[in-house]
Amino acid sequence: MNLGKKYYLVLGNGFSIDLIQHLKSNSNLKGNLELDLSNLFVYGDVVKYPSLEEPGFLSKKYTPNLWSLGARPTLSGPEAMEIVENLITCANVSLKSRGRDLEEIYKSAYQELTSYLKYLFIHYNSLISDADLKAHTQDWPWLKFLKKINESEEVSKIHIVTYNYDIWLERIFRLNKISFSVGGIEDSNEKIIIYKPHGSISFTYNNPIEDPTSFKIVNTAKELVVGGIRDYNVKYENLDKEIYSQNAMIPPAGDSASLDALTGTWAGTIRDAINIAINQSKSEDTLIISGLSYWHVDRGEVDNILISLQSDINVKTINPFPSKTLETVLSGLFKNSIHYSASSILNHISV
C-alpha cells in the first residue's frame, strides 16, 4: 500500500515549449534549434521521407491527400492548426459513428498526418544531443522540481500524463538517472509513471521493416488507431534509422478518452491505466496542469481526468497564456486552485 501524497501532472504542448525556450536561452544552442512546436507544418519540407532519406515529407509526392486538403510548409500557425483540427474532428465523429467509414481522402490524410508527425518529432529529437540536453537543463525549474518531489519521502507516487509525442522528458530522466516507467506498456512499480495517451515517437511497432523501400504510409486498415498495447515496445535509440509499418500517434486535437472504439487498442489500454491512477487520488494530493490548450475537440479527455479527482485536491496551473474556459472549469470544480504564469515559480513551491 502506498503511503504519502501523490502528484498528478497533466502536460500539454506548452510544457515542451517551455523546455525549448529554456534551451534557446543558451546562446550556444539557440542557432541550432530550428524547430517550431506551434506550427506543425512549417518544417515539413525539411523532414526526410524515411525510406528514401529525401527532404520534403510534407509534399504532393509523399502526402498527396494531406496536400490536397491544403497542408503546406508556408502556412501560418493558425492556418496549419485549422487543417489539423478539421481533419481530426472528422475522424473523431467517424469513430463515434460505429461503422461509418471516413471518405478515402480523409482516412488517407489522417494516416499521412500521423506518419508525418512521427518523423517530424523524430527530426526535432535529433536536433538536441544528449550532452546538450543534460548540460543545459540542470537549472530548468521543471527538472529541479521533479527531482525534489521524486527524492522526497513525503511523496509516494508521481503520475505524469503527457499529450506530447516528444521524448525530451524521458531522455532528461534517463540522463539524470531518474527511474520511471511508461504506464500501460511497462511495469508500473516505479515511483514516476509517464502516461502518453496520444502516443509517442518512442512507441515502436513490433519489429522494424527489413526492406525500407517497402514502407508505405497509407494502408487498407479501416482502424485509425492500429494495434493493441502488446504490439508496441518502448525504444529511445535509432528512431531515425529504423522504420516500422505502423505508428502509435493520435494527432493534436484527437480524443483518446471518450471513444469506445478505442477499447482494446494501445490508446485504450493507456487511457484505462490513467483512469485507475486518477481514481486513487486523495485530498492531500496535488494536481499540476501545464501547457494545455483545452480545445473543444479534446476537452472531454481532460474533463474525464478532472471530474475523477477529489474536489479538495491542491490544484496548480502553470501557463503564460491560460485557457479562460479551463480556468473557469478549475475554479468551479476545485476549492484549492492557484494559477501561475511561469515555470520559474516551481523554484519556490515546497513539496
Side-chain angles (χ1 to χ4, degrees):
M1 181 178 180
N2 287 325
L3 300 175
K5 67 179 70 173
K6 296 181 292 296
Y7 272 80
Y8 297 92
L9 278 63
V10 182
L11 309 176
N13 193 40
F15 175 81
S16 293
I17 290 174
D18 186 81
L19 170 62
I20 298 304
Q21 288 178 340
H22 180 82
L23 292 174
K24 284 185 175 182
S25 67
N26 183 289
S27 58
N28 294 327
L29 287 177
K30 186 174 182 181
N32 297 325
L33 294 182
E34 294 184 354
L35 53 84
D36 190 327
L37 298 179
S38 299
N39 186 338
L40 298 176
F41 292 156
V42 70
Y43 287 109
D45 57 341
V46 177
V47 179
K48 294 180 180 179
Y49 189 75
S51 62
L52 300 176
E53 285 291 299
E54 180 180 24
F57 197 121
L58 182 62
S59 62
K60 176 68 174 180
K61 181 177 182 179
Y62 295 123
T63 53
N65 297 283
L66 195 56
W67 192 265
S68 294
L69 294 178
R72 301 287 190 279
T74 54
L75 295 178
S76 68
E79 289 172 332
M81 189 48 64
E82 182 179 12
I83 290 176
V84 173
E85 185 175 348
N86 288 342
L87 178 59
I88 303 312
T89 300
C90 185
N92 286 347
V93 172
S94 174
L95 283 169
K96 292 176 182 178
S97 67
R98 299 180 183 276
R100 293 184 61 176
D101 296 332
L102 279 173
E103 291 293 330
E104 193 64 31
I105 185 174
Y106 294 103
K107 186 188 77 170
S108 298
Y110 184 99
Q111 293 174 343
E112 290 170 356
L113 177 61
T114 58
S115 187
Y116 163 72
L117 289 174
K118 175 180 178 179
Y119 287 99
L120 172 68
F121 278 89
I122 287 176
H123 168 69
Y124 283 171
N125 187 61
S126 70
L127 298 179
I128 308 174
S129 69
D130 281 350
D132 285 334
L133 196 58
K134 183 174 183 179
H136 301 299
T137 55
Q138 295 306 306
D139 60 344
W140 185 37
W142 273 108
L143 177 57
K144 293 167 66 178
F145 179 76
L146 287 166
K147 280 183 175 180
K148 180 168 63 176
I149 60 175
N150 185 50
E151 293 168 359
S152 172
E153 295 182 357
E154 298 179 32
V155 178
S156 62
K157 209 78 171 179
I158 303 168
H159 298 283
I160 303 175
V161 179
T162 171
Y163 298 103
N164 300 325
Y165 313 122
D166 63 72
I167 55 172
W168 292 313
L169 177 61
E170 293 96 308
R171 287 175 59 193
I172 290 170
F173 281 165
R174 285 159 61 90
L175 290 168
N176 287 276
K177 301 187 185 312
I178 299 173
S179 299
F180 69 94
S181 60
V182 179
I185 297 183
E186 298 178 324
D187 182 12
S188 297
N189 289 330
E190 299 290 351
K191 183 172 182 176
I192 298 177
I193 306 176
I194 299 177
Y195 306 87
K196 308 193 83 169
H198 282 192
S200 175
I201 61 172
S202 63
F203 293 0
T204 56
Y205 185 81
N206 288 326
N207 297 314
I209 298 173
E210 293 184 5
D211 178 10
T213 61
S214 66
F215 173 73
K216 293 181 180 179
I217 295 177
V218 176
N219 58 62
T220 58
K222 293 183 179 180
E223 297 83 4
L224 296 180
V225 179
V226 178
I229 203 71
R230 294 185 178 180
D231 294 319
Y232 291 91
N233 301 302
V234 179
K235 189 172 183 179
Y236 299 105
E237 292 85 20
N238 297 319
L239 298 178
D240 56 345
K241 294 179 174 60
E242 296 179 342
I243 303 172
Y244 297 85
S245 60
Q246 303 291 348
N247 65 77
M249 306 278 276
I250 294 177
D255 186 349
S256 70
S258 62
L259 303 177
D260 292 338
L262 296 183
T263 300
T265 66
W266 62 265
T269 300
I270 294 174
R271 172 198 61 191
D272 292 343
I274 293 171
N275 289 339
I276 291 172
I278 293 295
N279 286 324
Q280 294 174 350
S281 69
K282 297 181 179 180
S283 59
E284 64 266 25
D285 298 336
T286 296
L287 167 69
I288 300 179
I289 300 174
S290 180
L292 284 185
S293 61
Y294 203 60
W295 292 333
H296 69 91
V297 284
D298 59 2
R299 190 169 294 170
E301 187 165 7
V302 177
D303 287 345
N304 281 348
I305 293 176
L306 298 180
I307 62 177
S308 299
L309 291 164
Q310 297 292 318
S311 62
D312 52 354
I313 195 173
N314 294 299
V315 177
K316 305 179 190 301
T317 57
I318 302 173
N319 198 330
F321 307 104
S323 162
K324 293 181 180 179
T325 305
L326 178 57
E327 290 294 295
T328 301
V329 168
L330 293 175
S331 297
L333 287 178
F334 300 103
K335 302 173 182 178
N336 303 310
S337 179
I338 304 175
H339 172 260
Y340 301 109
S341 298
S343 62
S344 58
I345 196 66
L346 291 168
N347 293 326
H348 307 285
I349 294 178
S350 61
V351 175

